mmCIF file of all heavy atoms in Angstrom:
data_model
loop_
_atom_site.group_PDB
_atom_site.id
_atom_site.type_symbol
_atom_site.label_atom_id
_atom_site.label_comp_id
_atom_site.label_asym_id
_atom_site.label_seq_id
_atom_site.Cartn_x
_atom_site.Cartn_y
_atom_site.Cartn_z
ATOM 1 N N PHE A 13 97.808 -60.374 -91.888
ATOM 2 C CA PHE A 13 96.656 -61.248 -91.623
ATOM 3 C C PHE A 13 95.509 -60.951 -92.606
ATOM 4 O O PHE A 13 95.367 -59.785 -93.086
ATOM 5 C CB PHE A 13 96.144 -61.019 -90.191
ATOM 6 C CG PHE A 13 97.255 -61.363 -89.171
ATOM 7 C CD1 PHE A 13 97.870 -60.467 -88.517
ATOM 8 C CD2 PHE A 13 97.571 -62.710 -89.059
ATOM 9 C CE1 PHE A 13 98.907 -60.811 -87.525
ATOM 10 C CE2 PHE A 13 98.514 -63.105 -88.165
ATOM 11 C CZ PHE A 13 99.201 -62.099 -87.295
ATOM 12 N N LEU A 14 94.718 -61.976 -92.935
ATOM 13 C CA LEU A 14 93.630 -61.790 -93.913
ATOM 14 C C LEU A 14 92.296 -61.893 -93.211
ATOM 15 O O LEU A 14 92.134 -62.624 -92.228
ATOM 16 C CB LEU A 14 93.743 -62.874 -94.973
ATOM 17 C CG LEU A 14 95.066 -62.994 -95.780
ATOM 18 C CD1 LEU A 14 94.975 -64.060 -96.762
ATOM 19 C CD2 LEU A 14 95.327 -61.662 -96.422
ATOM 20 N N TYR A 15 91.300 -61.140 -93.785
ATOM 21 C CA TYR A 15 89.956 -61.167 -93.258
ATOM 22 C C TYR A 15 88.972 -61.283 -94.323
ATOM 23 O O TYR A 15 89.249 -60.825 -95.494
ATOM 24 C CB TYR A 15 89.772 -59.767 -92.469
ATOM 25 C CG TYR A 15 90.481 -59.566 -91.320
ATOM 26 C CD1 TYR A 15 91.804 -59.150 -91.333
ATOM 27 C CD2 TYR A 15 89.954 -59.823 -90.053
ATOM 28 C CE1 TYR A 15 92.649 -58.941 -90.284
ATOM 29 C CE2 TYR A 15 90.748 -59.685 -88.859
ATOM 30 C CZ TYR A 15 92.092 -59.226 -88.939
ATOM 31 O OH TYR A 15 92.862 -58.997 -87.871
ATOM 32 N N VAL A 16 87.883 -61.910 -94.113
ATOM 33 C CA VAL A 16 86.695 -61.849 -94.977
ATOM 34 C C VAL A 16 85.645 -61.047 -94.308
ATOM 35 O O VAL A 16 84.987 -61.484 -93.299
ATOM 36 C CB VAL A 16 86.186 -63.277 -95.329
ATOM 37 C CG1 VAL A 16 84.905 -63.170 -96.157
ATOM 38 C CG2 VAL A 16 87.252 -64.113 -95.942
ATOM 39 N N GLY A 17 85.464 -59.771 -94.739
ATOM 40 C CA GLY A 17 84.690 -58.807 -93.950
ATOM 41 C C GLY A 17 85.526 -58.498 -92.747
ATOM 42 O O GLY A 17 86.641 -58.113 -92.845
ATOM 43 N N ASP A 18 84.880 -58.694 -91.514
ATOM 44 C CA ASP A 18 85.634 -58.559 -90.342
ATOM 45 C C ASP A 18 85.923 -59.876 -89.633
ATOM 46 O O ASP A 18 86.368 -59.939 -88.509
ATOM 47 C CB ASP A 18 84.844 -57.670 -89.288
ATOM 48 C CG ASP A 18 83.507 -58.227 -88.979
ATOM 49 O OD1 ASP A 18 83.090 -59.300 -89.595
ATOM 50 O OD2 ASP A 18 82.871 -57.749 -88.020
ATOM 51 N N ALA A 19 85.706 -60.983 -90.464
ATOM 52 C CA ALA A 19 86.103 -62.334 -89.843
ATOM 53 C C ALA A 19 87.476 -62.714 -90.221
ATOM 54 O O ALA A 19 87.895 -62.687 -91.326
ATOM 55 C CB ALA A 19 85.123 -63.312 -90.455
ATOM 56 N N PRO A 20 88.336 -63.005 -89.193
ATOM 57 C CA PRO A 20 89.692 -63.292 -89.399
ATOM 58 C C PRO A 20 89.920 -64.762 -89.949
ATOM 59 O O PRO A 20 89.333 -65.704 -89.511
ATOM 60 C CB PRO A 20 90.348 -63.131 -88.058
ATOM 61 C CG PRO A 20 89.293 -63.569 -87.151
ATOM 62 C CD PRO A 20 87.962 -63.091 -87.748
ATOM 63 N N LEU A 21 90.774 -64.851 -90.954
ATOM 64 C CA LEU A 21 91.151 -66.163 -91.520
ATOM 65 C C LEU A 21 92.336 -66.745 -90.634
ATOM 66 O O LEU A 21 93.174 -65.937 -90.071
ATOM 67 C CB LEU A 21 91.630 -66.078 -92.913
ATOM 68 C CG LEU A 21 90.548 -65.781 -93.977
ATOM 69 C CD1 LEU A 21 91.149 -65.669 -95.328
ATOM 70 C CD2 LEU A 21 89.471 -66.888 -93.971
ATOM 71 N N PRO A 125 94.821 -58.852 -80.343
ATOM 72 C CA PRO A 125 93.427 -58.766 -79.711
ATOM 73 C C PRO A 125 93.297 -59.897 -78.653
ATOM 74 O O PRO A 125 93.812 -60.996 -78.810
ATOM 75 C CB PRO A 125 92.486 -59.054 -80.823
ATOM 76 C CG PRO A 125 93.281 -58.751 -82.071
ATOM 77 C CD PRO A 125 94.722 -59.015 -81.718
ATOM 78 N N ARG A 210 94.372 -66.547 -82.963
ATOM 79 C CA ARG A 210 94.637 -65.215 -82.484
ATOM 80 C C ARG A 210 93.395 -64.581 -81.788
ATOM 81 O O ARG A 210 93.524 -63.896 -80.849
ATOM 82 C CB ARG A 210 94.950 -64.324 -83.798
ATOM 83 C CG ARG A 210 96.377 -64.637 -84.366
ATOM 84 C CD ARG A 210 96.622 -63.831 -85.645
ATOM 85 N NE ARG A 210 96.466 -62.396 -85.318
ATOM 86 C CZ ARG A 210 95.580 -61.606 -85.952
ATOM 87 N NH1 ARG A 210 94.657 -62.150 -86.809
ATOM 88 N NH2 ARG A 210 95.547 -60.278 -85.691
ATOM 89 N N VAL A 211 92.317 -64.862 -82.392
ATOM 90 C CA VAL A 211 90.966 -64.341 -81.809
ATOM 91 C C VAL A 211 89.970 -65.567 -81.701
ATOM 92 O O VAL A 211 89.109 -65.698 -82.538
ATOM 93 C CB VAL A 211 90.432 -63.277 -82.680
ATOM 94 C CG1 VAL A 211 89.329 -62.432 -81.935
ATOM 95 C CG2 VAL A 211 91.520 -62.221 -83.110
ATOM 96 N N GLN A 214 86.140 -65.424 -82.336
ATOM 97 C CA GLN A 214 85.636 -65.157 -83.695
ATOM 98 C C GLN A 214 85.934 -66.247 -84.664
ATOM 99 O O GLN A 214 85.531 -66.131 -85.816
ATOM 100 C CB GLN A 214 86.260 -63.822 -84.194
ATOM 101 C CG GLN A 214 85.916 -62.626 -83.334
ATOM 102 C CD GLN A 214 86.476 -61.331 -83.896
ATOM 103 O OE1 GLN A 214 86.469 -61.172 -85.094
ATOM 104 N NE2 GLN A 214 87.035 -60.479 -83.015
#
Side-chain angles (χ1 to χ4, degrees):
F13 298 109
L14 302 182
Y15 296 80
V16 176
D18 62 350
L21 292 176
R210 292 175 55 245
V211 193
Q214 300 181 40

